[in-house]
Amino acid sequence: MTKTREECLTALRGISGILVTPYDRDGAIAPAALEPIIARAAKAGVHGLTVNGNTGEFYSLSFAEAERMQAEVPGMVAGRAAVIAGVGRSIVEAEKLARVAKQAGADMLMVHQPPDPFCAPRGIKAYLQRVAEAGELPIVLYLRNDSMGIDRIVELASLPGVVGVKWATPNVMLLAQAVRRTAHLGVNWTCGLAEPWAPPMYGVGARGFTSGLINVVPERSVTIHAALERGDLAAARENIEAIDPFEVLRAQELGGANVSVVKAALQLMGEDAGPARPPAAWPLTPEAQDTLVQLLRDWGLTARKAA
C-alpha cells in the first residue's frame, strides 16, 4: 500500500539511502544482486531507499535499464522502507518512469533537476507538474543547482504534491531562507549532500539526509541520524569523522569516484555489484584501493562477510 503524505514526510526526515545499480559479468543490470544490500539497510533501520538515484548511476543507464530498475526494486523492498523512485531525462521519459514507479508500488518520486543547458526556471515548474500528473505520487525535488534564486525555489516547493526537497548544494544560508519561507507548507528539506553536510543543514532547519554509505555499512548512517535527532552534535561529529576517510575517497577525481568507492567496497565484502560505468572513475587508483582495503578491515566488514 502506498504511504500517506505523513508517512512520506517521516521517511524523508530520516535517511534516504541511494541504492547502487548492480551489473553482472556481462555488464547487464542485475537487480537481484540488491537483495543483501536492501536487507542490510532495512535491518539497520534506514527509512527510505531510492532507486535510480545518482549513486544508482541514473545517467549511465539506458532508458530500458532505468525502467526495469523502477519496476523491480519496490517489490524487492517489500514495505521494509519507503521506496523513492528517481525520475528524469526528457519529459517523455520522466513521465513514463513515473507511471512505472506508481504501478510497481513506489511511495514517492524523486525528480532529478533537468541537466538541459537551456533549462528555464518556469520550464522546471512545468516539468514537475507533468511528472506529478503522470505518476500521481508525492514529489521530492532533487535540487543540485540553486542559481534560479530563492523566489523560484520557493515557488517549486509550493507546487501541489511536493512533500520534500533534497538540497544538494553547499549554500546553507539560502537553504535557511527556503526553510523559513516554506514553514507553513509542511515540506521537508533534506540534506542532499550525505552525512558530512547534515549537521550544518540541520542547524538551519533541514531534517534527514541522503546516503550512499548505506549500501556498505548502514549502521553507521543510522547512528549519525540518531545523534542528530536527539541534538547530540558531539556524537554526530565523532561518527561523521569515523566515516570521513570513506567520503574523502568518494570525492576524489572531481567526484567521479563517488559510486566507484561504494562498488569497490561491495566487491571487497564479497557482494560484487559490478564496476561503475564511464564516465565514472573505474577502477580505483592503487592508492585509493589500498586505503579502502585498510578502512574496511578497520571496520570489520570483510571479516563480517567471511563469518
Side-chain angles (χ1 to χ4, degrees):
M1 180 180 295
T2 302
K3 297 189 182 301
T4 65
R5 178 185 173 89
E6 189 54 44
E7 288 172 327
C8 289
L9 286 168
T10 298
L12 293 174
R13 295 181 193 118
I15 301 165
S16 297
I18 317 300
L19 295 168
V20 297
T21 296
Y23 308 125
D24 63 22
R25 292 184 179 181
D26 296 322
I29 62 169
L34 281 175
E35 288 286 5
I37 296 171
I38 291 171
R40 183 163 57 242
K43 182 179 179 180
V46 173
H47 310 82
L49 292 172
T50 301
V51 56
N52 287 342
N54 282 337
T55 304
E57 300 177 83
F58 180 62
Y59 289 104
S60 294
L61 302 178
S62 70
F63 178 74
E65 289 172 329
E67 188 177 29
R68 183 180 167 198
M69 293 298 295
Q70 209 77 296
E72 294 193 22
V73 169
M76 295 170 65
V77 176
R80 291 175 287 178
V83 176
I84 306 163
V87 303
R89 308 176 191 264
S90 72
I91 185 58
V92 175
E93 292 169 308
E95 288 174 318
K96 188 171 183 181
L97 285 174
R99 288 190 287 267
V100 171
K102 169 72 170 179
Q103 186 175 7
D107 299 296
M108 290 174 268
L109 300 175
M110 181 192 76
V111 184
H112 288 269
Q113 190 169 5
D116 193 307
F118 303 116
C119 188
R122 62 191 176 100
I124 295 178
K125 178 180 178 181
Y127 187 98
L128 285 171
Q129 289 172 321
R130 286 182 57 173
V131 169
E133 291 171 4
E136 300 179 304
L137 288 172
I139 295 291
V140 178
L141 172 60
Y142 187 12
L143 191 69
R144 295 181 59 84
N145 183 333
D146 58 29
S147 62
M148 69 181 73
I150 187 63
D151 291 339
R152 290 293 193 178
I153 290 170
V154 169
E155 181 181 12
L156 295 179
S158 304
L159 290 174
V162 173
V163 294
V165 179
K166 288 191 178 181
W167 188 271
T169 91
N171 193 338
V172 176
M173 296 313 296
L174 192 64
L175 169 62
Q177 292 184 55
V179 172
R180 287 197 302 269
R181 290 182 54 176
T182 59
H184 62 291
L185 298 175
V187 170
N188 190 72
W189 295 82
T190 300
C191 167
L193 293 176
E195 290 88 347
W197 279 90
M201 291 194 185
Y202 259 66
V204 298
R207 285 297 177 271
F209 54 81
T210 58
S211 175
L213 181 69
I214 63 93
N215 290 277
V216 177
V217 57
E219 299 89 350
R220 289 181 177 267
S221 301
V222 171
T223 297
I224 292 167
H225 180 263
L228 289 168
E229 286 296 305
R230 65 175 183 268
D232 190 344
L233 293 180
R237 285 197 303 269
E238 180 181 355
N239 284 281
I240 289 170
E241 287 174 5
I243 68 166
D244 185 63
F246 189 83
E247 295 301 320
V248 167
L249 286 176
R250 296 180 70 197
Q252 289 183 353
E253 302 192 61
L254 300 178
N258 188 295
V259 179
S260 307
V261 169
V262 175
K263 286 195 160 183
L266 289 169
Q267 283 187 344
L268 291 168
M269 294 167 61
E271 297 178 5
D272 192 353
R277 287 178 175 173
W282 188 267
L284 299 185
T285 65
E287 296 79 10
Q289 183 74 12
D290 289 345
T291 300
L292 182 62
V293 168
Q294 186 58 55
L295 181 61
L296 292 189
R297 285 175 179 163
D298 292 344
W299 286 354
L301 291 182
T302 50
R304 179 176 70 179
K305 181 60 183 176

